[in-house]
Amino acid sequence: MAHLAVLTGAWLVLATQSALAAQKEAPLSMRCAEFAGAVLPPELIALPTAGAQIESASMVGATAPGNQQGGEYCRITGRVKALKPTTPDIRFDLNLPRHWNGRALQVGGGGYNGVVVSGTGVMPFSPDRAPLAQGYATFGDDSGHVGDSSLAVFGLVDEAVTNFGYAHLKKTHDAALALIARAYGRPPQRMYFAGGSTGGREGYTVMQRFPDDYDGVIANSPALNFSGVRLIGVKVGQAEYATPGGFIPPLLLERVYQRTLAVCDRLDGAADGIVSDVAACRAHETEIVDSLRCAGSALSRDECLTDAQLATLMVLRDGLSLPYRLAWDVSGYHGYNVFQGTHLNGSLGLGHQAQRLAVPKFFANGYLFAQGDGYLRYFVARDADFDSLRFDPQHPGKYRAQLVALSQTIGAMNPDLARYMARGGKLITLQGLADEVISPNQTIAYREALVDRYGVDEVDRFMRLYMVPGFQHGSGAFVPSVDLLGALDRWVTRGASPETLIATDIAAATNGRSRPLCRYPLFPRYVGKGNVNLASSFVCAEP
């Protein structure tokens, strides 16, 4: 077979009978190396690019070191070329299994991305068998810049910001689709997307912007209102580091968490270290706060919280309200379940040291503040020396237009999913009720906006939302493992809509126990008898 110097648009449609026959005669192991050095012209990619270049292509043997997928596959690496020489390319990986199931899965990134998503591993919070091992062609990218997920410096480059916001998803999708069609002689029968956090935002982005490209999406803990979550991070940092006495030592954050458990753990009928009935717990919030307050208390200051420290927590609880509108009429960011079982003393919680670093770091100064600070420096002010502690999100002045523009590019808050729904696209979102990074109430609010727009019956035809008690942003008192990809595929291909799912806890301390994952707004309530570590001892109840 001739070397694939250039792939043309003909490979985006079904191949001729002779071409199909040629594909069947030549095994993937022979065709794989031919992709190395291939060029994809710009017309194969719907958004403006300078085309794509394949850098390497080689078979990975079933017994090759590091291959835990249980099968042979062709690994292709490449880059989608940027329009401007000062803009980084979009680096991507594509994995083509020898035994293909006819489906493709695009995998999202995390944080500010910057690292190529290989697509070879097990999906987060899913059973051990990776999609590639199940026969999926998988692919992912770095969103168009290089660096770890905490770096926001690329915000200085317009084309890189657009790529990060949405364009990398389409550009990588189109390049991968052309290569998959060329490798197998036909395009995928089903195209799925899966991701969490930033990858969750990306999942909502592809439904909103590219609804014709995907049959199903898994979008967990989605960073939907990206500008909003970054601005509330700045407000929290200001409460901790620009307000006298606002910093809360880790021991006091632990006390807050333990107090919420003491009051709310048993409200679901089981003493299991999980606050499941968040609504009932919220009714006890005043009691919890009063018991933590130093005023009128005989407790020493290392056992109670001052008014300034409680005010810091209230910034998180109350969320952010803006006197102006971001894109899609967004006017703020919803608050967190601070007093309903959210642990703020972990690696993604609030700050662990009382002094603010010149460039805030996740553990030292808190994840939300560090990420928000970087967003203001590089995306909004575009000034590496900008002081986020002196910025007023409610009155951004000359930066307001940039904030609004960024919320349009990155925000993923457009409630218009009519095209995706009409095509029969499906969505599964799993979100922790104790998430300390992405407010669970923001995720709920987006679903409620869909219900207001389309009605609950229409939303239920295409969406499943599972709010998970005790689950934080990748950790928590309960960390669910559940086969969401299998549930999505059965829904798309067989019409078997998922209802209650059973999740196994993979948290180190409680590994192996199970709980039902209840469709929102239901939550798991203990029936009063039976093994508390078994899902069968719980029912999905109304709050």
Side-chain angles (χ1 to χ4, degrees), residues 197 201 221-236 314-326 329-337 367-368 393-394 411-413 431-432 435-446 473:
S197 194
R201 172 185 63 80
S221 309
L224 292 174
N225 183 354
F226 198 80
S227 288
V229 73
R230 294 297 175 251
L231 290 178
I232 197 172
V234 170
K235 291 288 288 186
V236 171
M314 295 308 176
V315 171
L316 265 182
R317 183 202 67 177
D318 294 341
L320 178 68
S321 179
L322 300 174
Y324 56 92
R325 292 291 189 268
L326 300 174
D329 204 36
V330 170
S331 61
Y333 191 80
H334 288 262
Y336 295 72
N337 294 333
Y367 183 88
L368 287 177
Q394 272 84 12
M413 286 294 286
Q431 168 77 60
D435 198 318
E436 74 276 42
V437 173
I438 302 301
S439 170
N441 300 305
Q442 181 67 66
T443 303
I444 290 171
Y446 184 86
H473 204 72

Side-chain angles (χ1 to χ4, degrees), residues 3-25:
H3 187 271
L4 306 177
V6 177
L7 299 181
T8 67
W11 286 106
L12 292 179
V13 297
L14 290 176
T16 62
Q17 291 298 318
S18 59
L20 284 170
Q23 296 295 329
K24 292 177 181 177
E25 291 172 4

